[in-house]
Amino acid sequence: MRVVHSALSEFLTNRVPKHSLSIVVILILKSGATDAQIDHVIARVESLGMRAHLSRGTYRTIIGIIGDENIIREEPFCAIEGVSEVVPVLPPYKLASLEAHPEPSIIDVSGIKIGGGFLGMIAGPCSVEDEPRMHRIAAAVRAAGANIFRGGAYKPRTSPYAFQGLGEDGLKLLRDVGDLHGMPVVTEVTDVRCVETVAKYADMIQVGARNMQNFVLLTEIGMTSRPVLLKRGMSATITDLLMSAEYILSQGNPNVVLCERGIKSFDPATRNLFDVAAVPLAHTLTHLPIIVDPSHATGRPDLIPACALAGIAAGADGVHIEVHDQPEVAKSDGPQALLPEQYRELAEKMRCMAEMLGKTISTIPKVYA
Ligand code: PEP
Ligand code: MN
């Protein structure tokens, strides 16, 4: 592989005229590829209207392809005889990539900024529940320093017999509670038929882990202008997550915030495995903000504070936490809920850490005061 890499870098630095269009895909041919096979690969590339740059190394032959990367990506070059590897030079998520947008994006959720040094402090119950409870929780998290209120009105549940959420009534209640307590609200949409309704009531639309690759849903949400909280699927790679963001961006909605919420692991000791490295990793790949959700990542209130702080230390652009005033009667995710008092203590520590790192926590905008 070392041989191939040095041949590659020599090829890229010396062979390609600086003024030419850049190479977007490199084909590494099998050792011993015949002249007839090489000619065939070049003919195939040129038949697509692309240019091929040939470099014969001592051990391997490399062909750089210049042209429209979208067309090139669709071509099954690996199926051509004599081709060993197809190496894309650019990431497949064009709009989400750092190359496309080297500065971090700052997403504005009705006045609350997330990204580029601003932390989103999202808190609230898993599900929208009865009105007095929603007011109690909202008042408590706002007093603790949360700047966005959450609550699911459409709940994606493993069991069809479990509480499914209050639907549109829940959305109305969430909106009223958000307005009364002066916080923008985020809530999940689980179905493409509800996108318009959710966008009507919510300041930010959540795509849950189970729907991260519901491409029809992502496309529909991309046609709105609402900020989106895109949660990482429980078995999704970072590339998968960024490709899902790309679905939304490519429809014209640039307001995407990513969320690391834990991935599947072999160990049932925690609900999921908190992938804290995903945060700095995402920052090397994308301009989009990424926040952490230690509630779903761990499923354990005793582990949430440490993971929330670890997330901020790792560079997260916000923290999403479930809070309930009576977890034992919660309609969903009670066992992982922090009590308001526990959230208050944690929020204080998060503020200290944010300050230490020179981050800002957006305060509630005037429009809500
Ligand atoms: C939620 O936020 O309540 C939720 C269902 O999250 P996730 O999609 O990450 O499981
Ligand atoms: Mn939940």
Side-chain angles (χ1 to χ4, degrees), residues 105-158:
S105 282
I106 299 175
I107 308 302
D108 189 309
V109 184
S110 301
I112 299 298
K113 293 191 173 82
I114 303 180
F118 292 94
L119 296 190
M121 298 272 272
I122 304 175
C126 180
S127 293
V128 176
E129 298 190 23
D130 62 89
E131 193 174 345
R133 186 183 304 287
M134 293 300 285
H135 284 294
R136 281 200 300 276
I137 301 174
V141 298
R142 163 140 198 201
N147 53 19
I148 298 178
F149 189 53
R150 68 145 282 146
Y154 298 97
K155 295 305 302 174
R157 306 305 299 278
T158 303

Side-chain angles (χ1 to χ4, degrees), residues 125-127 150 155 231 271 293 296 320 322 332-333 336:
C126 180
S127 293
R150 68 145 282 146
K155 295 305 302 174
K231 297 186 100 180
R271 184 174 179 185
D293 169 1
H296 293 88
H320 169 286
E322 288 186 348
S332 60
D333 283 350
Q336 73 190 29

Side-chain angles (χ1 to χ4, degrees), residues 235-278:
S235 304
T237 64
I238 294 297
T239 302
D240 293 336
L241 175 61
L242 292 172
M243 290 307 286
S244 290
E246 190 78 8
Y247 263 91
I248 300 168
L249 300 177
S250 64
Q251 292 304 313
N253 184 347
N255 304 309
V256 178
V257 175
L258 309 170
C259 179
E260 162 55 37
R261 47 77 71 206
I263 48 176
K264 286 273 185 211
S265 92
F266 54 83
D267 191 344
T270 54
R271 184 174 179 185
N272 288 291
L273 183 72
F274 180 40
D275 181 9
V276 72

Side-chain angles (χ1 to χ4, degrees), residues 182-222:
M183 283 182 285
V185 295
V186 56
T187 194
E188 179 166 354
V189 63
T190 52
D191 187 320
V192 73
R193 290 167 296 186
C194 302
V195 170
E196 212 180 302
T197 311
V198 171
K200 188 169 103 191
Y201 293 102
D203 299 281
M204 184 179 217
I205 302 175
Q206 176 174 321
V207 177
R210 289 154 193 84
N211 269 309
M212 189 206 84
Q213 286 189 312
N214 183 337
F215 303 121
V216 179
L217 185 63
L218 298 173
T219 301
E220 194 69 23
I221 290 172

